[in-house]
Amino acid sequence: MRPIGTALSLHLAEDVTSLATCWRLTRRDGVLIALTSHDRDIEVDGITYRADGGLTATAMRATDDLAIDNMEIEGVLASTDLSASDLLDGRFDGARVEVFFVNWQAPQDGRLLIQTGTLGRITQKDGVFQADMRGLTDRLSRRMTESYSSGCRAELGDRRCKRSLNDFREMAEVVSVTGDNQFTPSPLGGTAGNYDFGKIRWHLGGNGGLVSEVRRYEGGVLRLFQAPPAPITPGDVFTITAGCDKTLTTCRDRFDNVENFRGDPFVPGMDALLNYPGLG
């Protein structure tokens, strides 16, 4: 049962109510966007929910059999906080969402939580966007087990890898651009290949707040797997983190972290299963 304050509960029991829907979106980069379906801004718990979002939502589906309780959010790209370029650039992918009701005449009476989840697939056409909102039970549909693999199954620096990346990260800036997905940065430390498969977090420039994956760092040139949404320009500032090709050798020689290696390099593969006496 959802907790409801006494004042809001009494209001819900009235024949006529003055409810407004509020959406609180928290992007993965920490940016908070608060919007409401009401025709005026509403302040709730010290946060102003702007009335220029033009958002609507489909009926929520919630069951007691742990089915995925998804809903859809649709809106006109009229808000200054919600732009088509940000949606297309992926800034809202995986954003945390809270949907709730408040009494717009007395928002201090509390709120009625309707749904929490994350934004999934986002589409945009003719100034209107539509996003799937995935409920908490969506996680139950994900694969929970792992398969054997020669490479490490952890992500560099995560709770399974346990390797601090403070000594494998540095800040630099773009000196010159040689292509949509490659450029020459200010001098970087580390040995050759240190930043292969690493990540760049852009700070200044058109891609500020976004993350790009490094394909190769060789001869003083950084090449990305994919060109970022906005053009790279000289002076763009970024932080680059070393990469890992998930091999035991790299884990040992570059990161000194063999005790946390999550691969199975010594387990026989398919070639061993297909081998029989007399071959090779």
Side-chain angles (χ1 to χ4, degrees):
M1 180 178 293
R2 295 180 174 88
I4 307 175
T6 302
L8 184 58
S9 180
L10 292 173
H11 178 70
L12 292 173
E14 297 177 359
D15 294 334
V16 179
T17 61
S18 52
L19 297 177
T21 305
C22 293
W23 289 268
R24 175 173 173 166
L25 294 86
T26 306
R27 297 187 337 199
R28 290 181 297 177
D29 58 3
V31 174
L32 174 65
I33 295 177
L35 302 170
T36 180
S37 62
H38 192 47
D39 57 1
R40 295 182 181 178
D41 294 350
I42 303 175
E43 183 172 330
V44 182
D45 297 332
I47 298 175
T48 300
Y49 289 76
R50 298 170 59 90
D52 61 351
L55 296 179
T56 59
T58 62
M60 181 185 68
R61 176 174 175 262
T63 64
D64 59 1
D65 60 355
L66 296 183
I68 299 176
D69 47 348
N70 289 355
M71 65 186 298
E72 289 185 347
I73 297 176
E74 185 176 276
V76 178
L77 298 174
S79 171
T80 56
D81 298 322
L82 209 61
S83 67
S85 60
D86 285 347
L87 290 169
L88 292 175
D89 291 350
R91 297 181 188 272
F92 284 90
D93 292 353
R96 177 76 175 172
V97 184
E98 291 184 11
V99 184
F100 58 91
F101 288 148
V102 295
N103 178 0
W104 58 265
Q105 291 185 328
Q108 69 277 5
D109 289 348
R111 59 182 190 171
L112 172 59
L113 182 64
I114 300 301
Q115 178 70 295
T116 61
T118 56
L119 288 185
R121 182 174 59 91
I122 300 175
T123 57
Q124 184 262 328
K125 182 179 180 181
D126 297 331
V128 177
F129 81 92
Q130 188 174 64
D132 295 332
M133 180 175 169
R134 298 172 179 172
L136 297 177
T137 53
D138 177 62
R139 297 181 181 179
L140 299 177
S141 65
R142 301 176 185 177
R143 187 170 62 181
M144 305 295 291
T145 59
E146 292 184 346
S147 302
Y148 284 110
S149 63
S150 59
C152 183
R153 294 181 295 277
E155 291 297 324
L156 181 62
D158 69 7
R159 61 181 179 84
R160 302 175 66 201
C161 172
K162 300 181 182 180
R163 190 66 171 93
S164 173
L165 299 180
N166 292 333
D167 296 332
F168 302 93
R169 182 182 290 128
E170 62 180 301
M171 185 172 289
E173 67 175 282
V174 177
V175 175
S176 62
V177 180
T178 55
D180 292 339
N181 67 329
Q182 64 181 31
F183 59 92
T184 301
S186 53
L188 299 176
T191 60
N194 188 52
Y195 291 109
D196 295 358
F197 307 106
K199 292 184 178 180
I200 284 178
R201 177 171 291 278
W202 300 97
H203 299 300
L204 297 180
N207 297 300
L210 298 179
V211 175
S212 298
E213 296 184 346
V214 178
R215 183 169 187 171
R216 184 72 174 165
Y217 177 54
E218 187 176 25
V221 176
L222 267 172
R223 185 154 56 102
L224 307 178
F225 274 99
Q226 186 176 2
I232 304 171
T233 58
D236 288 356
V237 178
F238 61 90
T239 297
I240 185 169
T241 304
C244 180
D245 59 6
K246 299 184 180 296
T247 63
L248 182 62
T249 302
T250 298
C251 185
R252 179 192 63 208
D253 298 343
R254 184 182 301 172
F255 300 104
D256 189 23
N257 196 36
V258 173
E259 64 272 19
N260 294 311
F261 186 73
R262 302 293 176 174
D264 311 287
F266 305 114
V267 173
M270 288 298 297
D271 54 343
L273 294 176
L274 297 175
N275 194 13
Y276 60 91
L279 277 183

